[in-house]
């Protein structure tokens, strides 16, 4: 069974990070929230594997700063 | 012209029971002549079990209420002898459109699977649905079957005793007493029986109001289901447009929680809303307007000794997904054969507890689906609305997002996985016909498989021989042997054989699979019959 890949997996992390922020540039809070929601759905569909998605949800919920779930 | 739902069908008449010196004892009394009570009574009468139906009213459902009936209930109605009038009158539809804000985001075609006698669903006013059930009941009565219906008979007390139930019934001539060996309470979501017995009805209340307007219009809207999220004519709310027979259209507008119901129902408030939705030039007449709220809840147990609850009395769901009447008919489908075996002394009373097991399982499935639809239609938090809107926005361009759109998941039959009545399964046979599943229809030798199943235990043998008749502890099992030659379309093979060369299915009287094998083994069949009747 596949697991959530939590080791560094993106080539050019600074580039990606800048692109992520640039995508949000000039958006209101509500527009950014909507964009994030669309992005999550697109990425989740791309991953597809239900077990990996569950791991990702748990990892996000339990990361430092998010431990309420 | 008076409407069907304004016409008394079974007005109060004094019965001999009211003049008896002692309360008359009946084998089975059904409270409520809604769709579920009528279904129960027809099923019992067909099996020659005497049944008395009591209803405080004498007409069919006031206004339409349910409009969408799914394939499994239609198959049950075929077994009850009244599928044809429903399907002949009903509107068959397959296409739907979803709108978000001012635009159509996508359309879909549900393309039903080939090789089934009945369509995936039909739309039909609940008053027709009840009328055809009522006519079927009268037809059985005319054939001499032991069934009676009494209008204007309001049950006002229910007292369970050790081996019977005592009832007080109020009538225009005053109250009288009755007794019954078994009581089936089909007295609706507000079930007075439940209240009189002090039983719970726990679940979730949805703080929302919906306006239903059934309108008659000649406009040529297509026969499709149109669903709007946040449309300009009903901001931040949803709307539904769906066709029924006789040029009647169901319009369902979400109104929110803080409203004045009496005000909203007035034609001068309803008509402008409808004009905003349909366009200024469309002419229509209001047939029926009502405002409803809903809850998703069920009783903890559906069987309380000799009192058994079915339909809305036992469980209630939101209308999104058309699971109310559809699941209620599956209740009585499940119950009646068990009750008959118990009444005939062929199965222990504990068989009735499996009604509870199987239909609570079904109710939980329906409540889960219906709650999820409601949460999508009416997001309960800001983030839930963000995801909902994101799904709708993406669905316009991307196919992947469309399965997330939930404007009601239409009722599909329940498979009783893990039921105590299930016997052995055989590896390699198709998953969809595993033990606990309702039989899947298929065209066989010029007819339909489902028309040959039901009302008794049967051994369905494919490409192998089984005895034409078998008996186990007083219960008959009828053999039905089919072969590849009876299966021109290959559907039987797909649905019942898979990769196996042959198969033997033990079918219950409600057309559900009890057990299956790839070859006939008499000892195993006898054991499975005992398991399926609670005798193991
Ligand atoms: C807006 C709306 C849309 C719906 N759409 C659908 C749909 O598309 N598909 C679907 O499957 N379901 C739908 N439903 C649900 C469906 O209408 C109900 O599930 C169905 O009517 C339940 O049938 P019932 O026989 O259990 O109860 P009811 O239809 O409520 O019948 C109960 C009967 O009991 C009688 N009664 C009550 N108390 C007594 C008493 N003390 N003595 C004697 N008689 C009594 C009443 O007179 C009544 O006739 C919808 C419901 C609503 C409100």
């Amino acid at each position: 069974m596949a697991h959530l890949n939590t080791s560094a997996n993106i080539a050019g992390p600074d580039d990606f990070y800048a692109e992520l922020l640039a995508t949000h540039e000039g958006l209101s809070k509500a527009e950014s929230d909507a964009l994030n929601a669309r992005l999550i759905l697109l990425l989740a569909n791309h991953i597809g594997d239900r077990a990996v998605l569950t791991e990702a949800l748990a990892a996000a919920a339990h990361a430092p700063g998010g431990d309420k779930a | 012209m008076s409407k069907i739902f304004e016409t008394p069908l079974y007005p109060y008449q004094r019965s001999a029971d009211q003049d008896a010196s002692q309360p008359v004892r009946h084998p089975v009394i059904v409270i409520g002549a809604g769709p579920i009570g009528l279904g129960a009574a027809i099923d019992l009468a067909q099996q020659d079990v005497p049944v008395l139906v009591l209803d405080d009213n004498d007409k069919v459902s006031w206004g339409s209420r349910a409009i969408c009936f799914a394939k499994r209930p239609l198959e049950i109605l075929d077994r009850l002898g009244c599928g044809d009038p429903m399907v002949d009158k009903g509107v068959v539809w397959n296409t739907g459109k979803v709108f978000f804000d001012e635009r159509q985001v996508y359309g879909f075609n549900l393309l039903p699977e080939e090789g089934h006698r009945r369509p995936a669903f039909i739309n039909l006013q609940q008053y027709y649905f009840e009328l055809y059930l009522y006519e079927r009941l009268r037809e059985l009565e005319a054939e001499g079957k032991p069934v009676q219906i009494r209008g204007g008979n309001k049950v006002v007390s229910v007292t369970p005793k050790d081996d019977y139930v005592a009832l007080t019934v109020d009538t225009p001539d005053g109250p009288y007493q009755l007794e019954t060996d078994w009581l089936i309470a089909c007295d609706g979501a507000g079930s007075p029986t439940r209240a009189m017995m002090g039983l719970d009805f726990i679940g979730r209340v949805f703080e929302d109001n919906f306006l239903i307007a059934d309108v008659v219009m000649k406009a040529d809207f297509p026969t499709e289901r149109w669903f709007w999220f946040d449309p300009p004519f009903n901001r931040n709310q949803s709307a539904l447009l769906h066709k029924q027979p006789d040029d009647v259209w169901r319009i369902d507008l979400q109104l929110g929680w803080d409203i004045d119901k009496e005000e909203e129902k007035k034609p001068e408030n309803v008509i402008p809303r409808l004009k905003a939705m349909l366009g200024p030039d469309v002419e229509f007449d209001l047939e029926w307007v009502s405002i409803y709220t809903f809850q998703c809840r069920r009783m903890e147990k559906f069987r309380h000794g000799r009192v058994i609850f079915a339909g809305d009395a036992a469980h209630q769901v939101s209308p999104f997904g058309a699971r109310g009447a559809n699941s209620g008919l599956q209740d009585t489908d499940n119950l009646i054969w068990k009750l008959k075996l118990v009444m005939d002394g062929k199965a222990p009373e504990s068989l009735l507890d499996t009604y509870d097991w199987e239909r609570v399982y079904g109710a939980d499935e329906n409540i889960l689906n219906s709650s999820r639809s409601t949460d999508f239609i009416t997001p309960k938090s800001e983030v839930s609305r963000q995801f909902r809107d994101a799904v709708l926005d993406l669905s316009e361009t991307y196919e992947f997002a469309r399965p997330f759109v939930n404007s009601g998941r239409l009722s599909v039959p329940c498979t009783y996985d893990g039921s105590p009545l299930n016997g052995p399964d055989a590896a390699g046979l198709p998953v969809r016909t595993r033990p606990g599943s309702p039989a899947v229809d298929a065209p066989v030798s010029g007819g339909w498989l489902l028309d040959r199943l039901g009302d008794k235990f049967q051994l369905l043998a494919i490409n192998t021989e089984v005895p034409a008749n078998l008996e186990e502890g007083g219960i008959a099992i009828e053999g039905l042997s089919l072969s590849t030659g009876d299966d021109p379309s290959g559907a039987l093979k797909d649905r019942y054989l898979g990769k196996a060369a042959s198969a033997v299915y033990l079918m219950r009287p409600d057309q559900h699979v009890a057990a299956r094998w790839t070859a006939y083994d008499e000892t195993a069949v006898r054991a499975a019959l005992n398991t399926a009747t609670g005798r193991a």
Side-chain angles (χ1 to χ4, degrees):
Chain A
M1 197 184 77
H3 280 284
L4 180 69
N5 184 357
T6 53
S7 43
N9 193 34
I10 297 178
D14 290 349
D15 279 352
F16 169 69
Y17 196 77
E19 192 176 339
L20 179 63
L21 293 192
T23 309
H24 280 275
E25 218 162 84
L27 300 186
S28 68
K29 168 88 169 80
E31 287 163 342
S32 266
D33 286 346
L35 187 144
N36 278 338
R38 291 194 296 272
L39 185 62
I40 289 169
L41 292 168
L42 281 159
L43 297 176
N45 180 64
H46 184 82
I47 292 165
D49 188 319
R50 277 295 284 108
V52 172
L53 291 171
T54 299
E55 280 184 44
L57 290 168
H62 297 301
D67 225 342
K68 291 215 170 58
Chain B
M1 195 187 77
S2 74
K3 298 178 177 123
I4 300 175
F5 56 88
E6 291 169 344
T7 312
L9 287 173
Y10 43 96
Y12 170 74
Q13 283 180 322
R14 194 174 176 85
S15 90
D17 287 2
Q18 287 165 264
D19 302 314
S21 54
Q22 290 290 314
V24 174
R25 173 84 62 97
H26 290 260
V28 183
I29 288 180
V30 172
I31 308 181
I36 313 312
L38 290 169
I42 292 168
D43 214 346
L44 287 161
Q46 283 194 161
Q47 325 258 355
D48 296 299
V49 180
V51 52
L52 168 63
V53 183
L54 304 174
D55 199 292
D56 58 350
N57 203 323
D58 56 9
K59 305 178 190 74
V60 290
S61 172
W62 183 258
S64 178
R65 294 204 285 159
I67 61 163
C68 188
F69 297 93
K71 182 162 154 294
R72 180 61 198 152
L74 296 177
E75 292 166 352
I76 295 171
L77 293 170
D78 281 333
R79 191 175 63 72
L80 299 181
C82 52
D84 281 337
M86 310 270 182
V87 177
D88 291 347
K89 180 80 188 176
V91 173
V92 177
W93 61 276
N94 296 311
T95 39
K97 286 185 180 141
V98 176
F99 301 84
F100 179 37
D101 199 346
E102 299 199 4
R103 58 201 205 277
Q104 177 183 332
V105 284
Y106 72 99
F108 57 85
N109 188 336
L110 295 163
L111 280 184
E113 187 183 52
E114 296 276 307
H116 294 262
R117 176 169 179 204
R118 293 311 185 190
F121 15 76
I122 60 166
N123 283 1
L124 181 71
Q125 290 91 329
Q126 182 162 339
Y127 46 76
Y128 280 126
F129 193 81
E130 291 184 18
L131 178 69
Y132 301 147
L133 284 165
Y134 169 77
E135 285 172 348
R136 174 63 181 150
L137 188 134
R138 285 297 194 206
E139 184 181 281
L140 289 167
E141 190 185 24
E143 285 167 18
K145 294 290 189 186
V147 57
Q148 289 180 54
I149 181 166
R150 293 183 194 163
N153 272 243
K154 183 183 172 115
V155 177
V156 293
S157 87
V158 172
T159 314
K161 306 278 185 184
D162 278 348
D163 57 353
Y164 70 98
V165 184
L167 304 179
T168 309
V169 183
D170 211 359
T171 72
D173 287 333
Y176 70 108
Q177 311 292 317
L178 283 173
E179 292 177 1
T180 183
D181 293 340
W182 297 95
L183 180 68
I184 309 180
C186 305
D187 47 356
S191 176
T193 306
R194 207 179 51 221
M196 289 185 280
M197 291 178 63
L199 299 169
D200 55 23
F201 200 38
I202 295 165
R204 192 168 153 203
V205 184
F206 289 85
E207 296 198 339
D208 215 333
N209 289 288
F210 290 81
L211 174 87
I212 313 180
D214 278 344
V215 305
V216 186
M217 62 177 176
K218 299 277 183 226
D220 53 354
F221 283 100
T223 304
E224 297 176 347
R225 181 183 195 262
W226 289 8
F227 198 96
W228 287 262
F229 293 95
D230 196 7
F233 57 83
N234 201 24
R235 268 298 165 215
N236 291 316
Q237 311 285 5
S238 64
L240 171 76
L241 178 71
H242 216 175
K243 183 162 199 235
Q244 305 175 66
D246 302 340
D247 297 316
V248 176
W249 298 80
R250 163 62 50 89
I251 293 168
D252 201 331
L253 292 169
Q254 188 182 15
L255 297 179
W257 189 234
D258 289 316
I259 58 154
D260 180 338
K261 291 192 193 184
E262 287 316 308
E263 274 301 304
E264 291 289 350
K265 257 200 295 206
K266 290 184 179 158
E268 64 261 36
N269 291 320
V270 173
I271 288 168
R273 279 184 182 279
L274 299 183
K275 280 199 182 300
M277 173 173 179
L278 301 170
D281 305 327
V282 175
E283 285 183 30
F284 59 84
D285 291 315
L286 285 177
E287 178 180 75
W288 178 65
V289 177
S290 152
I291 289 184
Y292 68 93
T293 54
F294 57 80
Q295 315 208 350
C296 287
R297 52 184 181 170
R298 68 161 169 88
M299 296 179 73
E300 194 187 335
K301 289 173 62 189
F302 297 172
R303 176 187 176 213
H304 292 264
R306 288 176 171 261
V307 182
I308 301 166
F309 292 83
D312 277 13
H315 45 74
Q316 205 188 352
V317 292
S318 86
F320 297 103
R323 288 164 186 269
N326 282 315
S327 69
L329 275 182
Q330 292 170 63
D331 290 346
T332 55
D333 188 47
N334 189 287
L335 172 64
I336 301 306
W337 68 270
K338 294 176 181 174
L339 183 59
K340 177 164 164 63
L341 285 178
V342 170
M343 291 176 77
D344 290 349
K346 292 180 179 170
E349 250 185 64
S350 59
L351 178 60
L352 295 172
D353 293 326
T354 69
Y355 162 72
D356 200 75
W357 193 102
E358 295 186 330
R359 292 314 301 161
V360 163
Y361 185 91
D364 283 345
E365 202 172 272
N366 286 320
I367 289 171
L368 178 72
N369 276 291
S370 153
S371 304
R372 285 176 170 174
S373 301
T374 308
D375 286 338
F376 191 88
I377 293 166
T378 313
K380 303 293 183 297
S381 68
E382 203 185 316
V383 71
S384 140
R385 177 174 293 272
Q386 279 160 9
F387 276 114
R388 202 279 307 267
D389 290 353
V391 163
L392 289 169
D393 280 329
L394 289 167
S395 72
E396 187 171 355
T397 326
Y398 302 109
E399 185 265 339
F400 90 85
R402 294 174 193 163
F404 287 118
V405 176
N406 191 344
S407 65
R409 299 275 181 241
L410 291 157
S411 173
V412 288
C414 178
T415 294
Y416 305 126
D417 282 319
S419 164
L421 301 186
N422 291 352
D425 192 5
L429 296 174
V431 175
R432 67 193 291 187
T433 42
R434 66 191 181 277
S437 316
V440 181
D441 205 2
V444 288
S445 45
W448 296 99
L449 178 63
L450 288 189
D451 289 342
R452 300 174 65 173
L453 296 176
D455 291 332
K456 52 197 171 279
F457 276 93
Q458 284 167 294
L459 268 186
L460 167 65
I462 305 169
N463 292 339
T464 181
E465 288 304 312
V466 291
N469 291 292
L470 203 65
E471 202 192 284
E472 169 66 18
I475 299 177
I477 311 176
E478 188 188 281
L480 170 63
S481 298
L482 296 172
S483 70
T484 301
D486 301 308
D487 181 30
S489 71
L492 190 68
K493 176 177 188 302
D494 268 10
R495 295 168 194 179
Y496 290 87
L497 285 179
K499 296 204 164 24
S502 63
V504 174
Y505 283 75
L506 178 64
M507 305 299 307
R508 310 186 336 186
D510 59 3
Q511 301 175 327
H512 278 250
V513 176
R516 59 181 185 173
W517 305 266
T518 48
Y520 176 60
D521 171 343
E522 185 182 322
T523 313
V525 167
R526 289 182 183 280
L529 182 88
N530 285 324
T531 302
T533 50
R535 305 190 297 186

